[in-house]
Amino acid sequence: MARRVRWRGAVVAAVLLGFVGGLEGNGTLLLSATIPLAYVAYGAVSTASVPESLSVTRDIDPNVAPPGHPVTVTLSVTNDGDRTVSDLRVVDTVPEKLAVMEGTPRGGGTLEPGETLELTYSVIARRGEFDFPAARLRVRGSGAGAVATTDRAPAGDTRLICRLDADAPPLSDIGDTRVGRLTTDTPGEGLTFHSTREYRHGDPAGRIDWRGYAKQGELSTVNYDRQVSATVVFALDARAAARVAAGPGRPTAVELGAYATTRALNTLLGAGHDVAVAVVGVDGDGPGGLVWLPPGSGSEQRSRAIAVLGDAIDATPATERDPTLQARKLGGLVGREAQFVLVSPLLDDAPVAMVEQWSGFDQSRTVLSPDIVASNTVSGQYEQVRRRTRLARCQAGGARTIDWRRGTPLPTILEATFAVEAHRASGGVRAGGGG
Amino acid sequence: MAMGGTRLDNPSAVGDEGRPRGASLTVVAVVVVGVLAGTGFLVGQPLMFTTFGLFVGLVSAGMALLSRDRLQPLVLGHLLFLPSAVILAALVGASGLLALRAPGLAALVVGALAAMFGVAAGWNDAFDRPTVQTALVQSGLSYLFFLVWLVVLLLVVGVGFLGRGMVLALTRGSGPVAAFFGLFGLLGLAALSLYVAVRAVPAIELTPIRRRPVAKARYGRLRTLLIGLTGVAWGVAVLGVAGLLAGVLQAVLSVPPLGAAVVVVTQLTAIPLLCVAALALLVGVLAWVARRATAGFESLSTRTVGAATAAVAYSLALFVAVPTFLRLGYVGVTFFLLVPVLPLLVYAGLLVVLLGFLAGILPGRAASPAVAAAGLVAMGLGGALFGFPSLFVFGAVTAGLVTWDVGTFGLSVTAELGHIPETRRLELYHGVVAVGIGLVGIAGLTVVDLARRSVGSAIGSPTTMGLAVLGVVLVAVGLRG
């Protein structure tokens, strides 16, 4: 138990009143000098201790979350004893790397027996695992001069796990088949009837329209909707310029980009597409110093991709790599049918140059840009204008642009981004939509 | 506590130690108002402190606003602070004089002002070292501007009278030599004033961009013409001086048609030239002020402009009030002459407070409850000396202790839990306990006092008093809360 000195002024008042009372021969003043002394005594005799009967419980919801996802933490302190705790103050210790976005981890009150004090606050998840330390309880005596403080480990949740694939289905749900589920205008092999055409020598017997032959006496071959898979290349901007956050304790643009990529590739892999991942701005073994995961599909590809993205978040950014050159290399690594998705906060002109490089390969391009620019300051608004100008430049260069504004749920954005347009006038297949 | 659209205090979610929580401050305010109302009832004027309360509140609000960065609240802070502080300084000064004859009454008045200020400053979070320092510097700056503005105004008025006299002399008919110097002197002055105005007015900046090169060239030619005209006019005047010394000028101007022409031209042009010069200078000064007021975003310029604006407002208010002061006779004139000096009392007071903070006499974050508590104890002291009933004395001293207890408790809640959590119940519980202990103490002491008076104890004798004081000190030192 510690003791706070609060009544020095009272001692001065007592001395002053006593002195003037004595000087003036004023009995009232002399008597009034005992009032400050009474308060001094009241402060001196009060005691404080944190009762063992205070039980603490913490609930973290959800306790597994992706980066940028709000997590609600509720700390409950219940007085299980039979005495009132007159002055209880509680502080829940939030891990240093997490920032409280709403509510407060502090609270105080008077707790009668059976009563519960509840603190509710929310934090924004960042990639990693965060242990919540013990909560700090402080009890004061009735005079507020005696203070007792203790750290008490709460029952319930103590850890927040933040993973890129936290809200993705389990690995076992991802099929390993490489057959795509996209249909095109071009007829071919498949399951759904498309049309019939004149029989050509060598057509499989199973595709001959025998019923038509019986009726009309002419051989014809059945066409089905051709099902293909697309190749989508995700390029994550992990340069130093992208490693910024909207505020202290918030996820960086690289973390958000990796989460968006994870979520998107999960959807595409589930639909039977091939997915490749490239990380720009980090030293890797791939062409041009890229971190490069070649196109593939299935659950193994997903786990490899998530590992690559996780490493990209933790890696030290490379300073001597030219992103434009890396983009050119990347364009040559995949065929013309491949589609590029650049995930970048667009805080400088390099991503725009990358998109312009890909236009030379005539490949479909999409830019998904997490917005991490604060707009509540003049400089922030200026930076926001510049960022939107870059988005417009990407769009003018033929890329589809998606602005992932803060507060907008990622699934909504991705649904808009990767709503598959199966049919295109040219007969090609696009996972990212038109420009 | 909103004023002019802004809060007077600057709350933050966590760790703001400046302002006690609302419930604690409410308890403190109720206690202080109770003691003030009690004083009013005892002297037969229950509302006697309301007028003082207004000025105390304005001073406190002004101090809070003087720490702002934006111009509008800053100017408002200046206009609230200094005039109210001058009135309060006059009151405190008068109490000082009163203390020579009735120390109890003086202690009552000063204690009441301090208690009210403590509560107001607690609400506004306007009584800590940085705030007092800012108020001292900011308000001092506006006072300096005020003095400079007064001097400039007096100079302008003096020069105006002088110019008027000269022009009247020229237009009413003067000798050809005087007319010669008057004509060219005024011509040079008018040309120079126009040059200054043309330089200061943002005419080129206001011209559409496509016409700017043409405008720039045109204004450049105009400036060259004006500065050339100034040089020629004053050059002719200097030559005239040389001619005057050589005796040539008198001879030339004594030729009847020439001398008469100079006199006539001077009579016709003196007033227009002087008007042109005065107007051009006025436009130039206004344009310069507008440029300074709108240039840049730095706080230094905002604060300088705020102080200068306030100084202009003070000067205008002073001039508007001149007829009122004159109507009051000698008293009014004396007060009018004292007004420019009274702010020095305010700044001396602020300096003393600042030294109190620096020396640690005033507790950094708990200064407002400390001042309120000290004020209430002073009221108790003053009430005892003035002859108020014992119940009032006990009540005022107890109120001081309760104010300190509850105020510092509210501060600790703010410091530990911030502004967001709902802590009203916690504060009210402590406030009720503190007030309850105080009431029990008052009741006990009243009984003891009645017993003492009824049995005619020897407490009044100097020996007993000395022993009692010694005992109080020893107990106080022993406990040392």
Side-chain angles (χ1 to χ4, degrees), chain B residues 247-262:
Chain B
V248 180
L249 186 67
Q250 297 92 321
V252 172
L253 291 176
S254 61
V255 178
L258 189 61
V262 168

PDB file of all heavy atoms in Angstrom, chain B residues 247-262:
ATOM      1  N   GLY B 247      20.732  84.239 -52.110  1.00  0.00           N
ATOM      2  CA  GLY B 247      19.951  85.448 -52.340  1.00  0.00           C
ATOM      3  C   GLY B 247      19.357  85.519 -53.735  1.00  0.00           C
ATOM      4  O   GLY B 247      18.816  86.558 -54.141  1.00  0.00           O
ATOM      5  N   VAL B 248      19.454  84.416 -54.497  1.00  0.00           N
ATOM      6  CA  VAL B 248      18.942  84.411 -55.873  1.00  0.00           C
ATOM      7  C   VAL B 248      17.420  84.214 -55.883  1.00  0.00           C
ATOM      8  O   VAL B 248      16.706  84.835 -56.665  1.00  0.00           O
ATOM      9  CB  VAL B 248      19.630  83.278 -56.683  1.00  0.00           C
ATOM     10  CG1 VAL B 248      19.110  83.252 -58.120  1.00  0.00           C
ATOM     11  CG2 VAL B 248      21.125  83.471 -56.657  1.00  0.00           C
ATOM     12  N   LEU B 249      16.936  83.335 -54.982  1.00  0.00           N
ATOM     13  CA  LEU B 249      15.518  82.956 -55.001  1.00  0.00           C
ATOM     14  C   LEU B 249      14.606  84.167 -54.787  1.00  0.00           C
ATOM     15  O   LEU B 249      13.617  84.342 -55.502  1.00  0.00           O
ATOM     16  CB  LEU B 249      15.262  81.894 -53.924  1.00  0.00           C
ATOM     17  CG  LEU B 249      13.856  81.304 -53.944  1.00  0.00           C
ATOM     18  CD1 LEU B 249      13.617  80.479 -55.193  1.00  0.00           C
ATOM     19  CD2 LEU B 249      13.626  80.435 -52.719  1.00  0.00           C
ATOM     20  N   GLN B 250      14.988  84.990 -53.792  1.00  0.00           N
ATOM     21  CA  GLN B 250      14.163  86.161 -53.520  1.00  0.00           C
ATOM     22  C   GLN B 250      14.091  87.055 -54.756  1.00  0.00           C
ATOM     23  O   GLN B 250      13.020  87.576 -55.099  1.00  0.00           O
ATOM     24  CB  GLN B 250      14.740  86.974 -52.347  1.00  0.00           C
ATOM     25  CG  GLN B 250      14.764  86.207 -51.032  1.00  0.00           C
ATOM     26  CD  GLN B 250      16.075  85.478 -50.808  1.00  0.00           C
ATOM     27  OE1 GLN B 250      16.645  84.922 -51.753  1.00  0.00           O
ATOM     28  NE2 GLN B 250      16.542  85.470 -49.565  1.00  0.00           N
ATOM     29  N   ALA B 251      15.247  87.152 -55.405  1.00  0.00           N
ATOM     30  CA  ALA B 251      15.282  88.034 -56.585  1.00  0.00           C
ATOM     31  C   ALA B 251      14.384  87.497 -57.698  1.00  0.00           C
ATOM     32  O   ALA B 251      13.635  88.249 -58.338  1.00  0.00           O
ATOM     33  CB  ALA B 251      16.722  88.147 -57.084  1.00  0.00           C
ATOM     34  N   VAL B 252      14.454  86.174 -57.904  1.00  0.00           N
ATOM     35  CA  VAL B 252      13.648  85.580 -58.979  1.00  0.00           C
ATOM     36  C   VAL B 252      12.170  85.718 -58.668  1.00  0.00           C
ATOM     37  O   VAL B 252      11.366  86.080 -59.530  1.00  0.00           O
ATOM     38  CB  VAL B 252      14.041  84.089 -59.167  1.00  0.00           C
ATOM     39  CG1 VAL B 252      13.081  83.408 -60.139  1.00  0.00           C
ATOM     40  CG2 VAL B 252      15.467  83.977 -59.674  1.00  0.00           C
ATOM     41  N   LEU B 253      11.800  85.416 -57.412  1.00  0.00           N
ATOM     42  CA  LEU B 253      10.383  85.434 -57.059  1.00  0.00           C
ATOM     43  C   LEU B 253       9.829  86.848 -56.878  1.00  0.00           C
ATOM     44  O   LEU B 253       8.615  87.015 -56.747  1.00  0.00           O
ATOM     45  CB  LEU B 253      10.151  84.634 -55.772  1.00  0.00           C
ATOM     46  CG  LEU B 253      10.353  83.121 -55.920  1.00  0.00           C
ATOM     47  CD1 LEU B 253      10.206  82.418 -54.578  1.00  0.00           C
ATOM     48  CD2 LEU B 253       9.340  82.535 -56.900  1.00  0.00           C
ATOM     49  N   SER B 254      10.754  87.810 -56.836  1.00  0.00           N
ATOM     50  CA  SER B 254      10.260  89.183 -56.694  1.00  0.00           C
ATOM     51  C   SER B 254       9.750  89.733 -58.031  1.00  0.00           C
ATOM     52  O   SER B 254       9.097  90.764 -58.066  1.00  0.00           O
ATOM     53  CB  SER B 254      11.360  90.079 -56.129  1.00  0.00           C
ATOM     54  OG  SER B 254      12.444  90.087 -57.031  1.00  0.00           O
ATOM     55  N   VAL B 255      10.065  88.994 -59.102  1.00  0.00           N
ATOM     56  CA  VAL B 255       9.493  89.393 -60.392  1.00  0.00           C
ATOM     57  C   VAL B 255       7.973  89.195 -60.290  1.00  0.00           C
ATOM     58  O   VAL B 255       7.517  88.061 -60.016  1.00  0.00           O
ATOM     59  CB  VAL B 255      10.086  88.509 -61.523  1.00  0.00           C
ATOM     60  CG1 VAL B 255       9.456  88.892 -62.865  1.00  0.00           C
ATOM     61  CG2 VAL B 255      11.589  88.668 -61.572  1.00  0.00           C
ATOM     62  N   PRO B 256       7.182  90.288 -60.478  1.00  0.00           N
ATOM     63  CA  PRO B 256       5.755  90.219 -60.124  1.00  0.00           C
ATOM     64  C   PRO B 256       4.973  89.044 -60.747  1.00  0.00           C
ATOM     65  O   PRO B 256       4.317  88.314 -59.983  1.00  0.00           O
ATOM     66  CB  PRO B 256       5.203  91.565 -60.610  1.00  0.00           C
ATOM     67  CG  PRO B 256       6.380  92.467 -60.630  1.00  0.00           C
ATOM     68  CD  PRO B 256       7.584  91.646 -60.927  1.00  0.00           C
ATOM     69  N   PRO B 257       5.054  88.809 -62.060  1.00  0.00           N
ATOM     70  CA  PRO B 257       4.176  87.731 -62.556  1.00  0.00           C
ATOM     71  C   PRO B 257       4.557  86.369 -62.013  1.00  0.00           C
ATOM     72  O   PRO B 257       3.699  85.553 -61.665  1.00  0.00           O
ATOM     73  CB  PRO B 257       4.383  87.778 -64.079  1.00  0.00           C
ATOM     74  CG  PRO B 257       5.251  88.948 -64.367  1.00  0.00           C
ATOM     75  CD  PRO B 257       5.870  89.421 -63.120  1.00  0.00           C
ATOM     76  N   LEU B 258       5.864  86.119 -61.871  1.00  0.00           N
ATOM     77  CA  LEU B 258       6.324  84.795 -61.422  1.00  0.00           C
ATOM     78  C   LEU B 258       5.935  84.537 -59.958  1.00  0.00           C
ATOM     79  O   LEU B 258       5.370  83.506 -59.604  1.00  0.00           O
ATOM     80  CB  LEU B 258       7.840  84.697 -61.609  1.00  0.00           C
ATOM     81  CG  LEU B 258       8.435  83.306 -61.388  1.00  0.00           C
ATOM     82  CD1 LEU B 258       7.854  82.301 -62.360  1.00  0.00           C
ATOM     83  CD2 LEU B 258       9.953  83.355 -61.508  1.00  0.00           C
ATOM     84  N   GLY B 259       6.256  85.512 -59.090  1.00  0.00           N
ATOM     85  CA  GLY B 259       5.945  85.357 -57.661  1.00  0.00           C
ATOM     86  C   GLY B 259       4.450  85.209 -57.449  1.00  0.00           C
ATOM     87  O   GLY B 259       3.993  84.350 -56.694  1.00  0.00           O
ATOM     88  N   ALA B 260       3.674  86.011 -58.140  1.00  0.00           N
ATOM     89  CA  ALA B 260       2.207  85.924 -57.971  1.00  0.00           C
ATOM     90  C   ALA B 260       1.686  84.584 -58.459  1.00  0.00           C
ATOM     91  O   ALA B 260       0.796  83.973 -57.834  1.00  0.00           O
ATOM     92  CB  ALA B 260       1.554  87.063 -58.750  1.00  0.00           C
ATOM     93  N   ALA B 261       2.272  84.115 -59.570  1.00  0.00           N
ATOM     94  CA  ALA B 261       1.823  82.813 -60.091  1.00  0.00           C
ATOM     95  C   ALA B 261       2.095  81.695 -59.099  1.00  0.00           C
ATOM     96  O   ALA B 261       1.252  80.810 -58.873  1.00  0.00           O
ATOM     97  CB  ALA B 261       2.530  82.524 -61.411  1.00  0.00           C
ATOM     98  N   VAL B 262       3.292  81.724 -58.512  1.00  0.00           N
ATOM     99  CA  VAL B 262       3.635  80.686 -57.521  1.00  0.00           C
ATOM    100  C   VAL B 262       2.650  80.728 -56.356  1.00  0.00           C
ATOM    101  O   VAL B 262       2.156  79.686 -55.881  1.00  0.00           O
ATOM    102  CB  VAL B 262       5.089  80.863 -57.032  1.00  0.00           C
ATOM    103  CG1 VAL B 262       5.362  79.987 -55.807  1.00  0.00           C
ATOM    104  CG2 VAL B 262       6.064  80.533 -58.133  1.00  0.00           C
TER     105      VAL B 262
END
